[in-house]
Amino acid sequence: MNTVVHPNARAKGRNKPLVRAIGGETVSPPPIWLMRQAGRYLPEYREVRKSAGDFLTLCRTPDLAAEVTLQPVWRFGLDAAIIFSDILVIPYALGQGVRFEEGEGPVLDAIRTREQLESLDKTRLHEHLSPAYVALERVSSALPNQVSLIGFAGAPWTVATYMVEGGSSRDFSAVKGWAFSGETRFQELVDILVDATSEHLIAQVNAGADVLQIFDTWAGVLPEAQFIRWCVEPVKEIVSRVRRQHPETPIIGFPRGAGVGYGTYAKATGVDAVGIDSSVPLLWAASDLQSICAVQGNLDPVSLLVGGDAMVSASREIVSVLGKGPFVFNLGHGILKTTPPENVSALVAAVRSF
Ligand code: CP3
């Protein structure tokens, strides 16, 4: 494995390929993991999911969460495990009603009034989230030395979209209406989320996470000024709080759909790596993002679903452009549930063979 040491290489976990790549080294072949690598496309996941009953019970039962976290690592030999949980455990831990309905996605008791906002309760956060920390400890002790363990949380903006809309949304009119209105109420919600998210990420490192990822799935729906205020600023604050406790832990930001805003995001938040979605041009990412931080991405999840030679050549193109600098191979968004597991094996083999 050839490596070129970059000046900002961090000390902790230096032997792990993922940590080295995010720390600024050019690692060849690049480390690979996949967003949503544990999930319904795997028969062994569906079996555990069935025995757990509902999705939140699975997230909150440490033995089962640890088991499904490890499944894709054992099956595919990936360079990282990402702890099995969800970004919506934070609203749940703050006392908001959260349910996952079969075939419908998440359903939350929408927060629209000051009264509902004030009913959010930070005092039992750690207690509610502790099953995730137990699962992290179990996974951490079970993983081979070279494999990194990733902890994660949703970014405040993305989590707020679910809290205010009451679930997934097509046009984000309720949450945008609130964010654009100039009222202080939305800032108060985001401040609560900055506190809770920072604590949750710090606790995940305490429990054994080597790397953190902050998912901002809906960063791409905001106009520039709002993107700076509600995506960049809160994540910058979270990064600085986590760094104060754990200066050595690399952080990946994933502001999906941010377009040219990726540059501003990478510089202003201080993340160690950015996850790019599949629409980000590779040459631009190499010249304008890898000069600031490491880059992770960005195979289209449909390309993985389709597989075959088209998948291999798309992956080769990504590695040939981004693999000359600090780079982590991943998808541009999560694995789709109809993806054949054999395609994941073929992808891992291909990325390691280029
Ligand atoms: O990546 C992993 O393997 C770790 C686990 C993980 C899950 N969700 C498990 C999950 C991670 C990192 C997430 C993040 C997440 N959750 C995001 C950000 C990333 C993204 O995909 O954009 C978002 C927006 C959520 C919220 C969420 N959770 C939605 C919208 C849904 C329903 C959609 C769906 O696929 O059904 C979930 C449920 C969920 N989270 C599932 C899994 C495996 C499916 C639930 C099931 O097994 O029934």
Side-chain angles (χ1 to χ4, degrees), residues 7 15 36 42 70-71 131 137 145 181 196-197 226 254 267 270 273 286 301 319 332:
N15 53 332
R36 289 282 186 96
L42 289 177
L70 289 162
Q71 285 172 347
E137 284 164 12
N145 284 339
S181 67
T197 307
Q226 308 290 333
F254 177 50
K267 277 192 216 124
V319 174

Side-chain angles (χ1 to χ4, degrees), residues 33-40 45 49 55 58-59 72 82-88 100 102-106 152 154 158 162 168 215-218 254 256 333-334 337:
W33 70 279
L34 304 169
M35 290 186 277
R36 289 282 186 96
Q37 63 190 29
R40 287 168 297 193
Y45 170 85
R49 169 80 167 73
F55 173 72
L58 174 54
C59 292
I82 178 163
I83 192 65
F84 192 83
S85 180
D86 198 83
I87 65 167
L88 301 178
F100 286 86
E102 211 56 61
E104 229 194 288
F152 75 91
T158 287
Y162 290 96
S168 302
F215 287 88
D216 214 345
T217 302
W218 301 115
F254 177 50
R256 189 174 75 101
H333 198 189
K337 71 176 174 195

